[in-house]
């Protein structure tokens, strides 16, 4: 009888290890807006480089590290009116006339697929992935 | 769009870094101009996104 209980204990231990590796859990991540940043570079009409920044409003990502291509998904919401290039008048122009932030207050990125290169040897090494997604200016619901 | 991303995975957070270029006309954004001078139509975007792991 005692022998059988050891056997069942051993089997359940092995099964728990197998299920852990074969069906890893989906992990969820929420954007840390303070630590995240989006920087832009473009040229002004005189050919000078203009550096700008956008603020991220919210975002989340989830997926199973072992099955990123099948399970991973990302969505980000960028505040279009947060564009800042350190020149107030220019920023106001960009926001009002080019980004039209009153009509399109939000820039949204939604992933449509993720391709992963070879898995690194350890989780401390960076992964190289390719994110396919849809980036769009979202129209305000207020008219 | 297709963006190469460098993904750092840590115990309680992920960091996604990368850059890509986009054309203003793809988003129906008028290229800014000053009289007859036009700004660049291309914008280079660099990003560093940090996500905190949720329980």
């Amino acid at each position: 009888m005692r022998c059988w209980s050891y056997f069942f204990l051993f089997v359940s231990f092995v099964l728990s290890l197998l299920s852990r590796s074969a069906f890893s859990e989906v992990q969820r991540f929420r954007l840390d807006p303070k630590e995240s940043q989006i920087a832009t570079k473009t040229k002004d009409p005189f050919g000078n480089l203009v550096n700008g920044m956008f603020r991220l409003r919210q975002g989340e990502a989830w997926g199973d590290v072992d099955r990123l291509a099948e399970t991973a998904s990302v969505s980000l919401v960028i505040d279009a009116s947060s564009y800042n290039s350190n020149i107030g008048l220019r920023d106001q122009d960009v926001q009002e006339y080019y980004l039209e932030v009153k009509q399109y207050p939000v820039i949204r990125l939604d992933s449509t697929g993720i391709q992963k290169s070879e898995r690194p040897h350890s989780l401390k090494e960076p992964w190289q992935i390719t994110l396919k997604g849809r980036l769009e200016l979202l129209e305000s619901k207020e008219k | 769009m297709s963006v190469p991303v460098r993904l750092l995975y840590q115990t309680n957070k992920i960091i996604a870094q990368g850059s890509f270029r986009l054309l203003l006309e793809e988003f129906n954004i008028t290229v800014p101009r000053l009289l007859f001078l036009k700004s660049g139509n291309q914008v280079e975007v660099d990003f560093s996104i940090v996500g905190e792991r949720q329980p």
Side-chain angles (χ1 to χ4, degrees):
Chain A
M1 187 66 188
R2 192 171 176 184
C3 182
W4 277 108
S5 24
Y6 281 128
F7 174 73
F8 281 121
L9 196 66
F10 174 74
V11 168
S12 59
F13 175 70
V14 170
L15 282 175
S16 73
L17 283 180
L18 281 175
S19 64
R20 194 179 163 88
S21 61
F23 307 103
S24 299
E25 59 180 328
V26 170
Q27 296 178 17
R28 291 183 176 275
F29 295 87
R30 186 178 292 159
L31 174 80
D32 181 345
K34 287 180 185 165
E35 293 291 320
S36 305
Q37 65 172 32
I38 292 186
T40 60
K41 282 181 201 159
T42 188
K43 286 191 173 167
D44 73 6
F46 302 105
N48 301 313
L49 193 65
V50 178
N51 291 301
M53 299 280 282
F54 281 98
R55 195 173 52 235
L56 282 140
R57 194 183 283 181
Q58 65 186 63
E60 58 181 343
W62 60 92
D64 178 343
V65 178
D66 293 324
R67 297 180 298 136
L68 272 188
E70 298 89 7
T71 61
S73 186
V74 178
S75 71
L76 292 172
V77 176
I78 300 155
D79 188 352
S81 65
S82 68
Y83 179 74
N84 179 8
S85 67
N86 288 323
I87 296 184
L89 273 177
R90 178 171 62 198
D91 298 344
Q92 200 177 324
D93 264 8
V94 169
Q95 291 167 15
E96 199 169 328
Y97 301 114
Y98 301 107
L99 291 174
E100 300 178 76
V101 297
K102 280 187 183 161
Q103 195 178 349
Y104 304 99
V106 158
I107 303 167
R108 190 178 169 100
L109 171 79
D110 287 300
S111 67
T112 54
I114 287 174
Q115 289 174 343
K116 185 179 66 170
S117 62
E118 286 298 303
R119 183 182 174 142
H121 297 298
S122 82
L123 284 177
K124 286 181 181 172
E125 293 175 47
W127 296 44
Q128 300 294 337
I129 63 169
T130 302
L131 174 77
K132 291 181 187 291
R134 198 173 44 244
L135 185 68
E136 55 188 345
L137 298 162
L138 284 192
E139 199 161 2
S140 168
K141 287 171 187 165
E142 293 172 22
K143 293 284 176 186
Chain B
M1 65 182 293
S2 181
V3 183
V5 179
R6 186 172 181 266
L7 190 66
L8 282 162
Y9 183 88
Q10 297 174 354
T11 318
N12 288 318
K13 65 180 179 181
I14 50 169
I15 304 166
Q17 296 170 324
S19 63
F20 61 96
R21 287 178 182 174
L22 53 85
L23 297 175
L24 294 180
E25 61 198 15
E26 288 173 355
F27 297 90
N28 295 320
I29 296 173
T30 314
V31 177
R33 60 191 305 160
L34 184 66
L35 300 175
F36 53 88
L37 296 173
K38 265 187 166 183
S39 294
N41 178 33
Q42 195 170 262
V43 179
E44 195 173 314
V45 181
D46 290 314
F47 61 88
S48 176
I49 312 288
V50 178
E52 288 177 344
R53 189 175 177 178
Q54 298 300 296

